[in-house]
Amino acid sequence: MSNKESYDRIADQWDRVRSCRPVDHCVEEFADLLPKGAAVMDIGCGTGRPIGAYLINRGFQLTAMDISPRMLDLARANLPGAQLILGDFLDFDDAPFEGAFDGILAFDSLFHVAGSRQKEIYPKVSRLLAKGGYFLFTGGFSKGPDQMKTITGTMLGQTFTYGALSESELLQALKESGLSIIRFEKQYTHPTTGSRDLLCLARKD
């Protein structure tokens, strides 16, 4: 079963759980860096709550993307005025959006990209960002360049696949994409969302 099918199956339960959670403080800090009325992309927006709804309430122009049709159906009701895109981040045509975003956020989504395609993420993000734009994301690490195989895990009774680069490969990919690291926090923990192997904030040079 694909990640898309698994997320379709848990979408309603996901929305109920997420709708009553506050946004993580790191999202608030990210938003504080952006200009008034900024254009923001949320990669892996899910049902839009709480992050997308928070960004709209901050007055940002939101473009929200998700691979799950059911998640995006719910996001349509939760994110009035947002531009919604159904599809895989690596496969959508980014040419019309080149340099369009002041900020891009990917909270708990990029780790679903297979290890063999992880290096494609960062140049694409860089193309989408305006000069000086910010990129906030969470992720994990593989144990080394020879261990980039996609792994599986379970959530809410469904199976999902995950991938990652090693720490050195990730740092190199960011550098080569013109993304300068502002914050690189391993074992990030916050009461609202729990623990993540990595929280990273970068800025396009």
Side-chain angles (χ1 to χ4, degrees):
M1 184 176 297
S2 68
N3 285 335
K4 178 175 71 173
E5 293 168 320
S6 293
Y7 271 118
D8 278 344
R9 288 181 176 225
I10 68 168
D12 293 274
Q13 183 179 358
W14 180 270
D15 190 50
R16 288 193 299 271
V17 171
R18 298 281 291 176
S19 64
C20 59
R21 288 185 181 176
V23 296
D24 193 293
H25 187 55
C26 68
V27 177
E28 297 174 320
E29 293 174 330
F30 166 78
D32 288 342
L33 294 169
L34 304 178
K36 183 178 180 180
V40 181
M41 171 175 269
D42 183 1
I43 302 170
C45 66
T47 66
R49 297 194 288 189
I51 293 175
Y54 171 79
L55 295 172
I56 287 177
N57 288 337
R58 286 288 299 259
F60 299 137
Q61 304 170 54
L62 180 65
T63 297
M65 169 180 286
D66 204 272
I67 199 171
S68 161
R70 179 57 186 155
M71 287 279 192
L72 218 59
D73 282 344
L74 295 170
R76 192 164 287 109
N78 295 335
L79 303 176
Q83 179 178 12
L84 303 182
I85 300 174
L86 174 64
D88 187 306
F89 174 66
L90 292 184
D91 295 333
F92 96 104
D93 180 11
D94 58 24
F97 299 94
E98 187 169 341
F101 297 102
D102 303 295
I104 295 177
L105 179 145
F107 204 92
D108 292 353
S109 58
L110 297 182
F111 55 29
H112 285 308
V113 175
S116 60
R117 300 195 69 189
Q118 283 280 325
K119 289 184 179 179
E120 299 175 42
I121 295 169
Y122 306 99
K124 188 157 193 167
V125 166
S126 185
R127 289 195 299 273
L128 291 166
L129 278 174
K131 184 177 176 60
Y134 292 93
F135 177 37
L136 177 70
F137 67 98
T138 59
F141 301 108
S142 70
K143 294 180 180 179
D146 60 338
Q147 298 182 15
M148 288 172 52
K149 295 179 181 178
T150 300
I151 63 171
T152 60
T154 58
M155 179 173 60
L156 299 178
Q158 300 299 317
T159 300
F160 294 87
T161 58
Y162 302 88
L165 297 174
S166 69
E167 181 176 348
S168 62
E169 288 171 323
L170 174 57
L171 292 171
Q172 185 66 25
L174 289 166
K175 181 179 180 181
E176 290 176 352
S177 301
L179 298 169
S180 297
I181 294 171
I182 296 172
R183 181 179 183 183
F184 195 84
E185 185 172 342
K186 292 183 280 187
Q187 300 305 315
Y188 171 78
T189 301
H190 193 270
T192 59
T193 56
S195 299
R196 303 292 182 279
D197 288 345
L198 172 68
L199 175 76
C200 183
L201 176 67
R203 186 174 184 269
K204 182 175 178 178
D205 298 334

